[in-house]
């Protein structure tokens, strides 16, 4: 990481030392898990051990896990599988990551309808709306197909996925949970959540980028989207990324070990919000009234654009994100905040500060000081 103070864990977490060691050991060992000779068998054993570790962490059966290039691919597989199972209407929460929103929208050209599940002002999915929709389901739309994330990447707001999953299952539907931001931070369990598909990503938990997992329930049909060799029990073609998988598993293990740090992280995050609010009553904390991840704070200040906040903090050596980071580096108004009903004056004026395994109290203090300096320059408080 180039920035001395890195508070952008929800974009990508710094590689954990355990993951770096596992990646480097796997790269040095080499071997293709599909080969039958010793080197291949060793690579296969590493891959399957990684699968076991990740499956255990998310309450899934190891054979139900498919290694992918990341959560985006896992989400694309899940949605394709839902459509493959006959779903003609996808219900997607308003605060989903673009991985879900765009992958769902791509099916519209094939005549699949996509509907948005609203959230309330806290950012929590409107379960009553979903209930009404499920009760009124038109059989011509195939099985209900629902996607709701476990934890939001911008606000950290947690969704009642177990409750939603039970309702979807009662309605005979298929349920996709994007578990990317939840993994390693809160309990994640495919069975408890009644999830049929769960997408996970290595780099959000301190593993390498470019590796992810799709975990499936026993009843979930899976449609292959990457055709090729018969890897992953025929579900995904392509030579395995053994180093990625073992690095991912090592990070998951380390994150599980560190789960006890959750309270300390929450104290750091709460302290940060308290200091900002004490210094400036005009600071808004989005999602503050909802259950949230302990590491995430999404704050706003009217009149001080998120982009400028990020730039000012960067100049002071503090890395955070504005809105949802996207590949082009451009910042769009956040669809998450828009869905929460945040008005025009604030929607482009938000940043996300996200802490993680290497964050220290000094990092947080430096961020608070830098932000307050920048805010006072941009929006001086009336004397
Ligand atoms: N879902 C959420 C909630 C995310 O935060 C991200 C990453 O930004 C993704 C999905 C996509 O993950 P990946 O980078 O592994 O494709």
């Amino acid at each position: 990481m180039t920035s001395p103070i890195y508070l952008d864990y929800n974009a990508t977490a710094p590689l954990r030392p355990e993951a770096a060691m596992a990646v480097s050991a796997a790269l040095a060992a080499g071997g293709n898990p599909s080969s039958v000779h010793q080197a291949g068998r060793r690579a296969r054993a590493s891959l399957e051990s990684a699968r076991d570790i990740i499956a255990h962490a998310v309450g899934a059966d190891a054979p139900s896990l498919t290694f992918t290039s990341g959560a985006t691919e896992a989400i694309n597989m899940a949605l394709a599988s839902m459509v493959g199972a006959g779903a003609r209407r996808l219900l997607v929460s308003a605060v989903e990551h673009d991985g879900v929103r765009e992958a769902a929208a791509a099916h519209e050209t094939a005549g699949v309808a996509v509907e948005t599940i609203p959230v309330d002002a806290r950012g929590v999915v409107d379960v009553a709306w979903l209930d009404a929709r499920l009760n009124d389901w038109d059989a011509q739309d195939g099985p209900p197909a629902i996607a709701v994330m476990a934890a939001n990447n911008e606000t950290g707001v947690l969704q009642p996925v177990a409750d939603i999953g039970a309702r979807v299952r009662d309605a005979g539907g298929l349920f996709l949970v994007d578990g990317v931001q939840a993994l390693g931070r809160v309990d994640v369990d495919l069975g408890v959540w009644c999830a049929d598909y769960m997408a996970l990503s290595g780099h959000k938990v301190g593993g390498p980028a470019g590796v992810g997992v799709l975990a499936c329930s026993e009843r979930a049909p899976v449609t292959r989207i990457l055709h090729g060799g018969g890897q992953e029990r025929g579900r995904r073609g392509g030579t395995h990324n053994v180093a990625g998988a073992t690095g991912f598993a090592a990070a998951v293990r380390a994150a599980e070990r560190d789960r006890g740090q959750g309270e300390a992280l929450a104290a750091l995050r709460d302290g940060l919000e308290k200091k900002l609010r004490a210094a400036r009553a005009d600071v808004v904390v989005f999602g503050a009234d909802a259950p949230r991840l302990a590491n995430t704070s999404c704050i706003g200040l009217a009149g001080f654009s998120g982009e400028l906040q990020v730039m000012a903090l960067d100049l002071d050596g503090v890395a955070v994100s504005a809105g949802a980071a996207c590949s082009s580096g451009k910042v769009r108004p956040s669809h998450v905040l828009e869905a929460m009903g945040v008005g025009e004056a604030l929607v482009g004026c938000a940043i996300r500060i996200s802490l993680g395994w290497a964050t220290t109290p000094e990092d947080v203090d430096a961020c608070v000081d830098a932000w307050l300096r920048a805010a006072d320059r941009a929006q001086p408080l009336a004397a």
Side-chain angles (χ1 to χ4, degrees):
M1 294 290 164
T2 49
S3 194
I5 298 174
Y6 186 82
L7 298 179
D8 204 10
Y9 279 69
N10 290 13
T12 197
L15 193 66
R16 289 174 180 271
E18 300 85 347
M21 273 163 61
V23 168
S24 125
L27 288 174
N32 182 333
S34 302
S35 303
V36 292
H37 48 62
Q38 273 191 38
R41 292 202 304 277
R42 272 200 299 271
R44 167 65 61 184
S46 300
L47 181 74
E48 296 313 324
S49 157
R51 198 189 306 273
D52 283 344
I53 290 166
I54 299 167
H56 186 257
V58 301
D61 287 336
S64 89
L65 260 59
T66 304
F67 279 112
T68 63
S69 63
T72 302
E73 185 190 330
I75 289 163
N76 273 269
M77 266 181 87
L79 290 170
S81 302
M82 288 166 149
V83 171
R88 288 292 163 268
R89 181 172 294 275
L90 306 173
L91 266 51
V92 171
S93 102
V95 293
E96 294 303 295
H97 187 269
D98 274 351
V100 171
R101 283 156 35 99
E102 293 295 321
H107 289 285
E108 283 182 314
T109 50
V112 173
V114 179
E115 230 179 309
T116 302
I117 311 170
V119 296
D120 64 20
R122 300 170 308 151
V124 178
V125 158
D126 185 342
V127 178
W129 183 97
L130 179 61
D131 245 352
R133 214 52 210 76
L134 289 173
N135 286 335
D136 194 25
W137 198 259
D138 183 343
Q140 286 192 346
D141 285 333
I146 318 299
V148 178
M149 68 199 331
N152 186 265
N153 44 305
E154 293 183 40
T155 59
V157 168
L158 298 167
Q159 301 296 344
V161 277
D163 183 20
I164 294 170
R167 289 160 199 263
V168 175
R169 193 148 293 184
D170 279 353
L174 291 167
F175 184 35
L176 161 64
V177 178
D178 174 342
V180 167
Q181 298 288 349
L183 183 62
R185 296 177 174 154
V186 293
D187 289 340
V188 169
D189 194 301
L190 190 83
V192 170
W193 291 354
C194 297
D196 295 297
Y197 306 96
M198 190 195 291
L200 304 163
S201 175
H203 68 115
K204 308 288 182 174
V205 77
V211 62
V213 148
L214 177 67
C216 298
S217 72
E218 264 177 14
R219 60 202 279 280
V222 177
T223 297
R224 181 174 55 211
I225 57 172
L226 270 190
H227 302 273
Q231 290 92 346
E232 294 296 88
R233 301 164 77 228
R235 290 175 163 189
R236 186 208 188 245
T239 302
H240 288 104
N241 175 3
V242 181
T246 54
F248 186 1
V252 165
R253 265 220 169 126
E256 282 185 322
R257 181 202 60 208
D258 291 351
R259 270 289 293 284
Q261 285 180 355
E263 277 179 28
L265 270 190
L268 283 181
R269 191 273 313 271
D270 293 347
L272 172 141
E273 292 177 352
K274 211 169 150 192
K275 283 179 197 157
L276 294 181
R277 278 172 145 168
R280 299 202 52 132
D282 48 353
V283 171
V284 179
V285 179
F286 300 106
D289 298 332
R292 270 189 302 163
L293 289 175
N295 79 314
T296 307
S297 184
C298 184
I299 61 161
L301 182 68
F304 189 13
S305 86
E307 222 163 344
L308 287 179
Q309 293 182 49
V310 169
M311 279 155 57
L313 286 177
D314 193 36
L315 286 173
D316 256 338
V318 182
V320 302
S321 273
C326 56
S327 55
S328 64
K330 273 203 204 133
V331 181
R332 288 164 292 158
S334 154
H335 70 275
V336 174
L337 298 183
E338 281 176 344
M340 290 163 68
V342 174
E344 237 176 76
L346 261 178
V347 81
C349 296
I351 57 165
R352 172 188 70 194
I353 302 166
S354 50
L355 323 181
W357 64 268
T359 303
T360 64
E362 292 74 26
D363 292 342
V364 172
D365 287 345
C367 175
V368 168
D369 292 345
W371 191 86
L372 287 175
R373 276 195 302 274
D376 285 346
R377 280 194 306 269
Q379 293 281 300
L381 282 173

